Amino acid sequence: MSTWFKRIAACCVLVFSQCVYAETGALSLTGNLIQGGLAFGQVDPGSKVRVNGQWVRVATSGEFILGFGRDYPPDLSVIVQANDGSVHSHAFKIASREYDIQRIDGLPDKQVSPGPEAMQRIRRDSAEISVARSLNDDRMDFKSGFIWPVQGRISGVYGSQRILNGLSRRPHFGIDIAAPVGTPVLAPSPGLVTFVKDMYFSGDTLVIDHGQNLSSSFLHLHKVLVKVGDWVEQGQPIALVGATGRVTGPHLDWRMNWHEQRLDPGLLVGEMPTDK
């Protein structure tokens, strides 16, 4: 078992033993109550849910999801407004994590400190992908679960602080999986393709929405095999691994978002399979 997976597994054991399942009054909550985690909620149909002051989408069945970013605060407040008008308040703790420091050298200077013209493109890229990640409907494709989109060596982990050419930059918000150029990338869960574009930092980029504003992003692709508006099934080939954008070698960077929260895909899949 890899050191990275042991660290993740230890975090999950902590969460499972303390707060992975809670049922108090009008709410049940399961999942990873940890920074980078995703939780699955259930309330009575017709109930409304407010989390830390913001309303979240609840399906007609009463199901909803909650995501917790890299630096999510320790206190989670969930308010449930039932059909009869009663209000139920619930408090949970979100476990914290320690993150690695990853140093990457040998990158072109323009990829570490872009000039004014490049910054304009970067801002446009960011605005466009934010729109693609804003879809929020009742679909719950994520209920199919998640699989690894590519098998290979884990070369970068979620949350690690990036030191690029000796300069401190934003943390890494995905999982890097090293694989040869042209390796098929499979849809980790069903969903709707909402974004395909060549971006400055991430190269050829693809976004798939899994419902209720939960999405997967696939970066540095060699080729995208689907188009915006396509529906994809779990395990369907959607792209080929590449080395486009800011990279030092071919790999897939798989990221997940729920609203503005950047999640850790590694918490939704088991240990990386190995060929026998």
Side-chain angles (χ1 to χ4, degrees), residues 133-200:
R133 288 173 174 157
S134 66
L135 182 61
N136 188 5
D137 59 23
D138 275 335
R139 288 180 302 109
M140 293 186 290
D141 307 326
F142 51 80
K143 291 183 67 176
S144 295
F146 289 82
I147 62 173
W148 285 101
V150 170
Q151 294 186 26
R153 177 178 59 85
I154 303 296
S155 56
V157 298
Y158 171 89
S160 57
Q161 178 62 52
R162 285 286 176 87
I163 309 297
L164 307 180
N165 291 358
L167 301 175
S168 179
R169 290 296 184 259
R170 297 181 68 189
H172 185 47
F173 292 111
I175 292 180
D176 290 339
I177 308 165
V181 171
T183 302
V185 178
L186 309 181
S189 194
L192 180 69
V193 177
T194 61
F195 186 83
V196 175
K197 185 181 179 182
D198 176 18
M199 302 179 71
Y200 184 85

Coordinates of all heavy atoms in Angstrom, one line a residue, residues 133-200:
R133 N -18.7 24.9 -14.4 CA -18.8 24.2 -13.1 C -20.0 24.7 -12.3 O -20.2 24.2 -11.2 CB -17.6 24.4 -12.3 CG -16.4 23.6 -12.8 CD -15.1 24.0 -12.1 NE -14.0 23.2 -12.4 CZ -12.7 23.6 -12.2 NH1 -12.4 24.8 -11.7 NH2 -11.7 22.8 -12.6
S134 N -20.8 25.6 -12.8 CA -21.9 26.2 -12.1 C -23.2 25.5 -12.3 O -24.2 25.8 -11.6 CB -22.1 27.7 -12.4 OG -22.5 27.8 -13.8
L135 N -23.3 24.5 -13.1 CA -24.5 23.8 -13.4 C -25.0 23.1 -12.1 O -24.2 22.4 -11.4 CB -24.3 22.7 -14.4 CG -25.6 21.8 -14.8 CD1 -26.7 22.7 -15.4 CD2 -25.2 20.8 -15.8
N136 N -26.3 23.3 -11.7 CA -26.8 22.8 -10.4 C -28.2 22.3 -10.7 O -29.2 23.1 -10.6 CB -26.7 23.9 -9.4 CG -27.1 23.4 -8.0 OD1 -27.3 22.2 -7.8 ND2 -27.1 24.4 -7.1
D137 N -28.4 21.0 -10.9 CA -29.7 20.5 -11.1 C -29.9 19.2 -10.3 O -29.1 18.9 -9.4 CB -29.9 20.2 -12.6 CG -28.9 19.2 -13.2 OD1 -28.3 18.4 -12.4 OD2 -28.7 19.1 -14.4
D138 N -31.1 18.6 -10.4 CA -31.5 17.5 -9.6 C -30.8 16.2 -9.9 O -31.0 15.2 -9.2 CB -33.0 17.3 -9.6 CG -33.7 18.2 -8.6 OD1 -33.1 18.7 -7.6 OD2 -34.9 18.5 -8.8
R139 N -30.0 16.1 -11.0 CA -29.4 14.8 -11.3 C -28.5 14.3 -10.2 O -27.9 15.1 -9.5 CB -28.6 15.0 -12.6 CG -29.4 15.1 -13.9 CD -28.5 15.2 -15.1 NE -27.6 16.4 -15.0 CZ -26.3 16.3 -14.8 NH1 -25.7 15.1 -14.6 NH2 -25.5 17.3 -14.7
M140 N -28.5 13.0 -10.0 CA -27.6 12.4 -9.0 C -26.8 11.3 -9.6 O -26.8 10.2 -9.1 CB -28.4 11.9 -7.8 CG -29.1 13.1 -7.0 SD -30.0 12.5 -5.5 CE -31.3 11.6 -6.3
D141 N -26.1 11.6 -10.7 CA -25.3 10.6 -11.4 C -24.2 10.1 -10.4 O -23.7 8.9 -10.6 CB -24.6 11.2 -12.6 CG -25.7 11.9 -13.5 OD1 -26.8 11.4 -13.6 OD2 -25.3 12.9 -14.2
F142 N -23.8 10.9 -9.5 CA -22.7 10.5 -8.6 C -23.1 9.3 -7.7 O -22.2 8.6 -7.1 CB -22.4 11.7 -7.6 CG -23.5 12.3 -6.9 CD1 -24.1 11.7 -5.8 CD2 -24.1 13.4 -7.4 CE1 -25.2 12.3 -5.2 CE2 -25.2 14.0 -6.8 CZ -25.7 13.4 -5.7
K143 N -24.4 8.9 -7.7 CA -24.8 7.8 -6.9 C -24.3 6.5 -7.5 O -24.3 5.4 -6.8 CB -26.3 7.7 -6.8 CG -26.9 8.9 -5.9 CD -28.4 8.7 -5.8 CE -28.8 7.5 -5.0 NZ -30.3 7.5 -4.7
S144 N -23.8 6.5 -8.7 CA -23.2 5.3 -9.3 C -21.8 5.0 -8.7 O -21.2 4.0 -9.0 CB -23.0 5.5 -10.8 OG -24.3 5.6 -11.5
G145 N -21.3 5.9 -7.9 CA -20.0 5.8 -7.3 C -18.9 6.2 -8.3 O -19.2 6.7 -9.4
F146 N -17.6 6.1 -7.9 CA -16.5 6.6 -8.7 C -15.4 5.5 -8.9 O -15.2 4.7 -8.0 CB -15.9 7.8 -8.1 CG -16.8 9.0 -8.2 CD1 -17.8 9.2 -7.2 CD2 -16.6 9.9 -9.2 CE1 -18.6 10.3 -7.3 CE2 -17.4 11.1 -9.3 CZ -18.4 11.2 -8.4
I147 N -14.8 5.5 -10.1 CA -13.7 4.6 -10.4 C -12.5 5.5 -10.8 O -12.7 6.6 -11.1 CB -14.0 3.6 -11.5 CG1 -14.3 4.3 -12.8 CG2 -15.2 2.7 -11.1 CD1 -14.5 3.4 -14.0
W148 N -11.3 4.9 -10.7 CA -10.1 5.6 -11.2 C -10.3 5.8 -12.7 O -10.5 4.9 -13.5 CB -8.9 4.8 -10.9 CG -8.4 4.9 -9.5 CD1 -8.6 3.9 -8.6 CD2 -7.7 5.9 -8.8 NE1 -8.1 4.2 -7.4 CE2 -7.5 5.5 -7.5 CE3 -7.3 7.2 -9.2 CZ2 -6.9 6.3 -6.6 CZ3 -6.6 7.9 -8.3 CH2 -6.4 7.5 -7.0
P149 N -10.1 7.1 -13.2 CA -10.1 7.3 -14.7 C -8.9 6.8 -15.4 O -9.0 6.5 -16.6 CB -10.2 8.8 -14.8 CG -9.6 9.3 -13.5 CD -9.9 8.3 -12.4
V150 N -7.8 6.6 -14.7 CA -6.6 6.1 -15.3 C -5.8 5.3 -14.3 O -5.9 5.7 -13.1 CB -5.7 7.3 -15.8 CG1 -4.3 6.7 -16.2 CG2 -6.3 8.0 -17.0
Q151 N -5.2 4.3 -14.7 CA -4.3 3.5 -13.7 C -2.9 3.9 -14.0 O -2.4 4.0 -15.1 CB -4.5 2.0 -13.9 CG -5.8 1.5 -13.5 CD -5.9 0.0 -13.6 OE1 -4.9 -0.7 -13.4 NE2 -7.1 -0.5 -13.7
G152 N -2.1 4.2 -12.9 CA -0.8 4.6 -13.0 C -0.2 5.0 -11.7 O -0.8 4.9 -10.7
R153 N 1.0 5.5 -11.8 CA 1.7 6.0 -10.5 C 1.1 7.4 -10.1 O 1.0 8.3 -10.9 CB 3.2 6.1 -10.8 CG 4.0 6.7 -9.6 CD 5.5 6.7 -10.0 NE 5.8 7.5 -11.1 CZ 6.0 8.9 -11.1 NH1 5.9 9.5 -9.9 NH2 6.2 9.6 -12.2
I154 N 0.9 7.5 -8.8 CA 0.4 8.8 -8.3 C 1.6 9.7 -8.1 O 2.6 9.4 -7.4 CB -0.2 8.6 -6.9 CG1 -1.4 7.6 -6.9 CG2 -0.7 10.0 -6.3 CD1 -2.6 8.1 -7.8
S155 N 1.6 10.8 -8.9 CA 2.8 11.7 -9.0 C 2.5 13.0 -8.3 O 3.5 13.8 -8.1 CB 3.2 11.9 -10.4 OG 2.2 12.4 -11.2
G156 N 1.3 13.2 -7.9 CA 1.0 14.5 -7.2 C -0.3 14.3 -6.4 O -1.2 13.6 -6.9
V157 N -0.4 14.8 -5.2 CA -1.6 14.5 -4.4 C -2.3 15.8 -4.1 O -1.8 16.9 -4.2 CB -1.1 13.8 -3.0 CG1 -0.5 12.5 -3.3 CG2 -0.2 14.7 -2.2
Y158 N -3.5 15.6 -3.7 CA -4.4 16.7 -3.3 C -3.9 17.5 -2.1 O -3.4 17.0 -1.2 CB -5.8 16.2 -3.0 CG -6.8 17.2 -2.4 CD1 -7.6 17.9 -3.3 CD2 -6.9 17.3 -1.0 CE1 -8.5 18.8 -2.7 CE2 -7.8 18.2 -0.5 CZ -8.6 19.0 -1.4 OH -9.5 19.9 -0.8
G159 N -4.0 18.9 -2.3 CA -3.7 19.7 -1.1 C -2.3 20.1 -1.0 O -2.0 21.0 -0.2
S160 N -1.4 19.5 -1.7 CA 0.0 19.8 -1.5 C 0.4 21.2 -1.9 O -0.1 21.7 -2.9 CB 0.9 18.8 -2.2 OG 0.6 18.8 -3.6
Q161 N 1.2 21.8 -1.1 CA 1.7 23.2 -1.4 C 2.7 23.1 -2.5 O 3.7 22.3 -2.4 CB 2.3 23.8 -0.2 CG 2.9 25.2 -0.4 CD 1.8 26.2 -0.9 OE1 0.8 26.4 -0.2 NE2 2.0 26.9 -2.0
R162 N 2.5 23.9 -3.6 CA 3.4 23.8 -4.7 C 4.5 24.8 -4.7 O 4.2 26.0 -4.5 CB 2.6 24.0 -6.0 CG 1.7 22.7 -6.4 CD 2.6 21.6 -6.9 NE 2.0 20.4 -7.2 CZ 1.4 20.1 -8.4 NH1 1.3 21.0 -9.4 NH2 0.9 18.9 -8.6
I163 N 5.7 24.4 -4.8 CA 6.9 25.3 -5.0 C 7.4 25.1 -6.4 O 8.0 24.0 -6.7 CB 8.0 24.9 -3.9 CG1 7.4 24.9 -2.5 CG2 9.1 26.0 -4.0 CD1 6.9 26.2 -2.0
L164 N 7.2 26.0 -7.3 CA 7.5 25.9 -8.7 C 8.7 26.7 -9.0 O 8.7 28.0 -8.8 CB 6.3 26.4 -9.5 CG 5.0 25.7 -9.2 CD1 3.9 26.2 -10.2 CD2 5.1 24.2 -9.3
N165 N 9.8 26.1 -9.5 CA 11.0 26.8 -9.8 C 11.5 27.6 -8.6 O 12.0 28.7 -8.7 CB 10.9 27.6 -11.0 CG 10.8 26.8 -12.3 OD1 10.8 25.6 -12.3 ND2 10.6 27.5 -13.4
G166 N 11.2 27.1 -7.4 CA 11.7 27.8 -6.2 C 10.7 28.8 -5.7 O 10.9 29.5 -4.6
L167 N 9.6 29.1 -6.4 CA 8.6 30.1 -6.0 C 7.3 29.4 -5.4 O 6.8 28.5 -6.0 CB 8.3 31.0 -7.2 CG 9.4 31.7 -7.8 CD1 8.9 32.5 -9.1 CD2 10.0 32.7 -6.8
S168 N 6.8 30.0 -4.3 CA 5.6 29.4 -3.7 C 4.4 29.8 -4.6 O 4.2 31.0 -4.9 CB 5.4 30.0 -2.3 OG 4.2 29.5 -1.7
R169 N 3.6 28.8 -4.9 CA 2.4 29.0 -5.7 C 1.2 28.4 -5.1 O 1.3 27.8 -4.0 CB 2.6 28.5 -7.1 CG 3.6 29.3 -8.0 CD 3.0 30.7 -8.2 NE 3.9 31.6 -9.0 CZ 4.8 32.5 -8.6 NH1 4.9 32.6 -7.3 NH2 5.5 33.2 -9.4
R170 N 0.0 28.4 -5.7 CA -1.2 27.9 -5.1 C -1.1 26.4 -4.9 O -0.3 25.7 -5.6 CB -2.4 28.1 -6.1 CG -2.7 29.6 -6.3 CD -3.9 29.7 -7.3 NE -5.1 29.2 -6.6 CZ -6.3 29.0 -7.3 NH1 -6.4 29.3 -8.6 NH2 -7.4 28.6 -6.6
P171 N -1.8 25.9 -3.9 CA -1.8 24.4 -3.6 C -2.3 23.6 -4.8 O -3.0 24.2 -5.7 CB -2.7 24.3 -2.4 CG -2.8 25.6 -1.8 CD -2.6 26.6 -2.9
H172 N -2.0 22.4 -4.8 CA -2.5 21.5 -5.9 C -3.9 21.0 -5.4 O -4.0 20.5 -4.3 CB -1.5 20.3 -6.1 CG -1.9 19.4 -7.2 ND1 -2.3 19.9 -8.4 CD2 -2.0 18.1 -7.3 CE1 -2.5 18.9 -9.3 NE2 -2.3 17.8 -8.6
F173 N -4.9 21.1 -6.3 CA -6.2 20.7 -5.9 C -6.7 19.4 -6.6 O -7.9 19.1 -6.7 CB -7.2 21.8 -6.3 CG -7.0 23.0 -5.4 CD1 -6.5 24.2 -5.9 CD2 -7.3 23.0 -4.0 CE1 -6.3 25.3 -5.1 CE2 -7.1 24.1 -3.2 CZ -6.6 25.3 -3.8
G174 N -5.8 18.6 -7.1 CA -6.2 17.4 -7.8 C -5.3 16.2 -7.4 O -4.4 16.3 -6.6
I175 N -5.5 15.1 -8.1 CA -4.6 14.0 -8.1 C -3.9 13.8 -9.4 O -4.6 13.7 -10.5 CB -5.3 12.7 -7.7 CG1 -5.8 12.7 -6.3 CG2 -4.4 11.4 -7.9 CD1 -6.6 11.5 -5.8
D176 N -2.6 13.8 -9.4 CA -1.8 13.5 -10.7 C -1.5 12.1 -10.8 O -1.0 11.4 -9.9 CB -0.5 14.3 -10.7 CG -0.7 15.8 -10.8 OD1 -1.8 16.2 -11.3 OD2 0.2 16.6 -10.4
I177 N -1.8 11.5 -12.0 CA -1.6 10.1 -12.3 C -0.7 10.0 -13.5 O -1.1 10.4 -14.6 CB -2.9 9.4 -12.6 CG1 -3.9 9.6 -11.4 CG2 -2.7 7.9 -12.7 CD1 -5.3 9.2 -11.8
A178 N 0.5 9.6 -13.3 CA 1.5 9.5 -14.4 C 1.1 8.3 -15.3 O 0.8 7.2 -14.9 CB 2.9 9.3 -13.9
A179 N 1.0 8.6 -16.7 CA 0.7 7.6 -17.6 C 1.2 8.0 -19.0 O 1.3 9.2 -19.2 CB -0.8 7.3 -17.7
P180 N 1.5 7.1 -19.9 CA 2.0 7.5 -21.2 C 1.0 8.3 -22.0 O -0.2 8.2 -21.9 CB 2.3 6.2 -21.9 CG 2.4 5.2 -20.8 CD 1.5 5.7 -19.7
V181 N 1.5 9.2 -22.9 CA 0.6 9.9 -23.8 C -0.2 9.0 -24.6 O 0.3 8.0 -25.1 CB 1.4 10.9 -24.7 CG1 0.5 11.5 -25.8 CG2 2.1 12.0 -23.9
G182 N -1.5 9.2 -24.7 CA -2.4 8.4 -25.5 C -3.1 7.3 -24.7 O -4.0 6.6 -25.2
T183 N -2.8 7.2 -23.4 CA -3.5 6.3 -22.5 C -5.0 6.7 -22.4 O -5.3 7.9 -22.1 CB -2.9 6.3 -21.1 OG1 -1.5 5.9 -21.2 CG2 -3.7 5.3 -20.2
P184 N -6.0 5.8 -22.6 CA -7.4 6.2 -22.5 C -7.7 6.7 -21.0 O -7.3 6.2 -20.0 CB -8.1 5.0 -22.8 CG -7.2 4.1 -23.6 CD -5.8 4.4 -23.0
V185 N -8.5 7.8 -21.0 CA -9.1 8.3 -19.8 C -10.5 7.9 -19.7 O -11.3 8.2 -20.7 CB -8.9 9.9 -19.7 CG1 -9.6 10.4 -18.4 CG2 -7.5 10.3 -19.8
L186 N -11.0 7.3 -18.6 CA -12.3 6.8 -18.5 C -13.2 7.7 -17.6 O -12.6 8.3 -16.6 CB -12.4 5.4 -18.0 CG -11.4 4.3 -18.7 CD1 -11.6 3.0 -18.0 CD2 -11.7 4.3 -20.1
A187 N -14.4 7.8 -17.9 CA -15.3 8.6 -17.0 C -15.4 7.9 -15.7 O -15.8 6.8 -15.6 CB -16.7 8.7 -17.7
P188 N -15.1 8.6 -14.6 CA -15.1 8.0 -13.3 C -16.5 7.7 -12.8 O -16.7 6.9 -11.9 CB -14.4 9.0 -12.4 CG -14.5 10.3 -13.1 CD -14.6 10.0 -14.5
S189 N -17.5 8.5 -13.3 CA -18.9 8.4 -12.9 C -19.7 9.0 -14.1 O -19.2 9.7 -14.8 CB -19.2 9.1 -11.6 OG -20.4 8.8 -11.0
P190 N -21.0 8.6 -14.2 CA -21.7 9.2 -15.3 C -21.9 10.7 -15.2 O -21.7 11.2 -14.1 CB -23.1 8.5 -15.1 CG -22.9 7.3 -14.3 CD -21.7 7.6 -13.4
G191 N -22.2 11.3 -16.3 CA -22.5 12.8 -16.2 C -22.6 13.4 -17.5 O -22.6 12.8 -18.6
L192 N -22.7 14.7 -17.5 CA -22.9 15.6 -18.7 C -21.6 16.4 -18.9 O -21.1 17.1 -18.0 CB -24.1 16.5 -18.4 CG -24.4 17.5 -19.5 CD1 -25.0 16.7 -20.7 CD2 -25.4 18.5 -19.0
V193 N -21.1 16.4 -20.2 CA -19.9 17.2 -20.5 C -20.4 18.6 -20.6 O -21.3 19.0 -21.4 CB -19.4 16.7 -21.9 CG1 -18.2 17.6 -22.3 CG2 -18.9 15.2 -21.8
T194 N -19.7 19.5 -19.9 CA -20.0 20.9 -19.8 C -18.9 21.8 -20.3 O -19.2 23.0 -20.5 CB -20.4 21.4 -18.4 OG1 -19.3 21.1 -17.5 CG2 -21.6 20.6 -17.9
F195 N -17.7 21.3 -20.6 CA -16.6 22.2 -20.9 C -15.5 21.4 -21.6 O -15.1 20.3 -21.2 CB -16.0 22.8 -19.6 CG -14.9 23.8 -19.9 CD1 -15.3 25.1 -20.1 CD2 -13.6 23.5 -19.7 CE1 -14.3 26.1 -20.3 CE2 -12.6 24.4 -19.9 CZ -12.9 25.7 -20.2
V196 N -15.0 21.9 -22.7 CA -13.9 21.4 -23.5 C -13.1 22.6 -24.0 O -13.7 23.4 -24.8 CB -14.3 20.5 -24.6 CG1 -13.1 20.0 -25.4 CG2 -15.1 19.2 -24.1
K197 N -11.9 22.7 -23.6 CA -11.1 23.9 -24.1 C -9.6 23.7 -23.8 O -9.2 23.0 -22.8 CB -11.5 25.2 -23.4 CG -10.9 26.4 -24.0 CD -11.3 27.7 -23.3 CE -10.6 28.9 -23.9 NZ -11.0 30.2 -23.2
D198 N -8.8 24.3 -24.7 CA -7.3 24.4 -24.4 C -7.1 25.6 -23.6 O -7.3 26.7 -24.0 CB -6.6 24.5 -25.8 CG -5.1 24.7 -25.6 OD1 -4.6 24.4 -24.5 OD2 -4.4 25.1 -26.6
M199 N -6.6 25.3 -22.3 CA -6.3 26.4 -21.4 C -4.8 26.6 -21.1 O -4.0 25.7 -21.4 CB -7.0 26.1 -20.1 CG -8.6 25.9 -20.2 SD -9.4 25.4 -18.7 CE -9.3 27.0 -17.8
Y200 N -4.5 27.8 -20.7 CA -3.1 28.2 -20.5 C -2.3 27.3 -19.6 O -1.3 26.7 -20.0 CB -3.0 29.6 -20.0 CG -1.6 30.2 -19.9 CD1 -1.0 30.7 -21.1 CD2 -0.8 30.1 -18.8 CE1 0.3 31.2 -21.0 CE2 0.5 30.5 -18.7 CZ 1.1 31.1 -19.8 OH 2.4 31.6 -19.8

